[in-house]
Amino acid sequence: MSERSAALFDYKSAFQNSVDQVRSEGRYRVFADLKRVRGQFPKAVRRRADGSEQEVVVWCSNDYLGMGQHPAVIEAMQVEVGETGAGAGGTRNISGTTRSAVDLEAELASWHQKEAALLFTSGYVANEATLSTLQKILPGLIIFSDALNHASMIAGIRNGGGERHIFRHNDLEHLEELLAAAPADAPKLIAFESVYSMDGDIADLAGTIALARKYGALTYLDEVHAVGLYGATGAGVAERDGVLGGIDIVECTLGKAIGVMGGYIAADAVIVDAVRSWASGFIFTTSLPPALTAGALASVRHLKAHPELRAAHQERAATLKRRLAEAGIPVLPSVSHIVPVHVGNPVHCKLISDMLLEDFGIYVQPINYPTVPKGTERLRFTPSPDHDDGMIDKLVDAMDKLWSHCNVARRPVAA
Ligand SMILES: *Cc1c(COP(=O)(O)O)cnc(C)c1O
């Protein structure tokens, strides 16, 4: 942006003002520059702004089981690159339907006990493209959306432009009120998540499905924070709860517990065929590189066969919650693998996270508004099976010191 005469529009100031606004609201984001080290998960090397390096333990990764570094995944990716090269070479329609994408879709469909699955570039795109497209396929579709749904679901619902109603988070009475008020013969869809990743609570799937049946609605479930982690084969909370058949469309990511990148939906063949035929965000974009889909396929096969990973994951989360609670640290009442710790103030939250990083080599990103409501700022820990007892000891010890140092409220040990 070169210097311009004062009479013309001042672009530079406009951009600067927008950044200043974010900064003044205390939500300017500073990213940690990390180099993950293969074989050392959850450790990584952080590079500071001055170029110096520091070894850190990552406590906020969504690579929940360390599958991003699993030898089976890495080998599958290396073999695929060796055999097929780097990119897919096109959109799905124009030469980009690679064999490993086709095999992965078949594997994902069978995992969720659905007839078909469809890959997208990311979970965000899967949600945005599918939810906006469903409103085109089903004119007059009324969407009922949980108040804490992820930004990608909100974007898809808004972009579809149809009628929508927000129900209070996990409040089935409110959902039923809204469903009952809509015309009985109108097409309806309930959009919700299983594990809500900021609070660690889990939706009542069976209760939601019962309402969907009563009022003739489709169910659309985001299992992004559950796939790989819940259920006998890791197909998610719907598998754990024995309700796979009651979910019409399940949406997941390949980027979190599966450890690679990409997103997908799984559903009846006719639903997938319709979305495949109408979704702009699926049609007009280059398909995932074959090495990614081959890596994801190896990861899913491994996750299906290794329930002990899920047991170890739950054990680590339970242990961390217990250890923090014993130290009087206010752990929020999560029923999942997410361990949120209440701070309640954006400045303290950032300060504690900065000190954990610089003084203790512990990396946990502060979660501030607008990701969570003001006054509920928190630290969100995601222990994996590879966070050992020594790492937990160090974390609890550091939190204990910082809670005293920063004079943040504790919880009585008994609570
Ligand atoms: C991360 C996330 C997504 C998006 O998935 P990506 O593959 O990272 O784009 C969708 N839904 C929820 C609930 C998420 O947390």
Side-chain angles (χ1 to χ4, degrees):
M1 287 170 286
S2 48
E3 294 303 320
R4 287 159 198 261
S5 126
L8 299 176
F9 188 82
D10 182 356
Y11 292 99
K12 195 167 181 182
S13 300
F15 284 111
Q16 192 57 54
N17 290 342
S18 78
V19 174
D20 291 346
Q21 183 193 336
V22 170
R23 211 186 288 270
S24 73
E25 290 168 8
R27 52 187 187 92
Y28 184 75
R29 290 176 163 152
V30 181
F31 298 150
D33 170 343
L34 298 175
K35 182 173 177 179
R36 305 178 82 199
V37 186
R38 178 180 174 180
Q40 305 209 348
F41 182 84
K43 290 185 183 154
V45 178
R46 172 183 168 238
R47 182 167 57 186
R48 297 188 182 87
D50 65 7
S52 64
E53 291 186 338
Q54 174 198 22
E55 186 178 275
V56 298
V57 174
V58 179
W59 276 99
C60 55
S61 176
N62 284 333
D63 186 358
Y64 291 120
L65 302 174
M67 290 305 290
Q69 296 188 2
H70 194 282
V73 176
I74 295 170
E75 204 207 315
M77 294 183 76
Q78 285 173 332
V79 167
E80 192 72 16
V81 167
E83 287 182 0
T84 73
T91 63
R92 285 296 292 270
N93 188 41
I94 306 179
S95 87
T97 295
T98 65
R99 185 178 298 178
S100 76
V102 174
D103 291 348
L104 176 58
E105 286 179 339
E107 183 80 32
L108 295 169
S110 102
W111 202 16
H112 295 280
Q113 296 177 27
K114 298 291 175 209
E115 290 171 358
L118 192 68
L119 290 170
F120 294 83
T121 312
S122 70
Y124 187 104
V125 174
N127 270 334
E128 197 285 325
T130 305
L131 286 166
S132 61
T133 301
L134 286 171
Q135 296 175 75
K136 294 194 193 109
I137 296 168
L138 303 170
L141 179 68
I142 306 172
I143 297 188
F144 300 84
S145 175
D146 186 284
L148 292 191
N149 276 343
H150 189 259
S152 55
M153 297 171 87
I154 296 170
I157 292 166
R158 288 212 176 125
N159 292 348
E163 184 176 336
R164 55 184 186 267
H165 300 280
I166 316 296
F167 60 96
R168 285 189 294 272
H169 176 55
N170 278 349
D171 184 339
L172 294 189
E173 273 178 38
H174 190 212
L175 172 60
E176 178 154 23
E177 258 174 51
L178 295 170
L179 284 165
D185 61 352
K188 305 178 188 77
L189 179 137
I190 303 169
F192 64 127
E193 300 180 23
S194 53
V195 175
Y196 283 83
S197 78
M198 291 301 147
D199 295 282
D201 55 340
I202 298 183
D204 175 356
L205 271 54
T208 309
I209 291 164
L211 287 181
R213 294 214 166 113
K214 181 171 174 188
Y215 293 94
L218 292 171
T219 48
Y220 181 102
L221 179 64
D222 177 316
E223 291 244 49
V224 160
H225 291 278
V227 74
L229 306 176
Y230 293 86
T233 72
V237 175
E239 182 186 32
R240 183 196 74 174
D241 292 359
V243 296
L244 283 166
I247 301 301
D248 295 298
I249 302 167
V250 61
E251 181 276 338
C252 298
T253 181
L254 302 172
K256 290 171 183 169
I258 294 167
V260 191
M261 185 193 176
Y264 65 93
I265 59 165
D268 283 352
V270 68
I271 295 179
V272 168
D273 207 17
V275 173
R276 185 185 74 89
S277 304
W278 288 98
S280 190
F282 170 82
I283 298 169
F284 297 104
T285 191
T286 300
S287 50
L288 290 168
L292 290 194
T293 41
L297 181 58
S299 182
V300 169
R301 287 185 175 151
H302 186 87
L303 289 169
K304 281 169 90 167
H306 291 277
E308 75 281 4
L309 270 175
R310 286 180 278 285
H313 183 225
Q314 293 296 322
E315 182 280 324
R316 291 285 81 186
T319 299
L320 180 62
K321 286 178 203 169
R322 178 176 53 76
R323 292 286 313 278
L324 288 169
E326 281 166 6
I329 306 294
V331 182
L332 294 168
S334 153
V335 294
S336 70
H337 59 282
I338 312 275
V339 184
V341 169
H342 176 84
V343 181
N345 169 305
V347 179
H348 274 152
C349 202
K350 173 90 169 64
L351 183 70
I352 291 172
S353 128
D354 285 348
M355 290 170 79
L356 281 170
L357 188 59
E358 272 306 328
D359 302 345
F360 299 92
I362 288 168
Y363 170 47
V364 61
Q365 193 63 29
I367 310 284
N368 286 347
Y369 176 83
T371 307
V372 295
K374 287 180 182 159
T376 73
E377 291 81 4
R378 67 197 66 181
L379 300 171
R380 171 184 174 274
F381 297 94
T382 54
S384 75
D386 296 306
H387 287 82
D388 62 26
D389 285 339
M391 291 173 184
I392 291 184
D393 288 344
K394 281 189 188 148
L395 173 64
V396 173
D397 186 53
M399 291 284 282
D400 190 45
K401 288 199 173 89
L402 290 180
W403 241 250
S404 299
H405 179 87
C406 299
N407 201 16
V408 185
R410 296 199 187 230
R411 189 157 282 173
V413 174

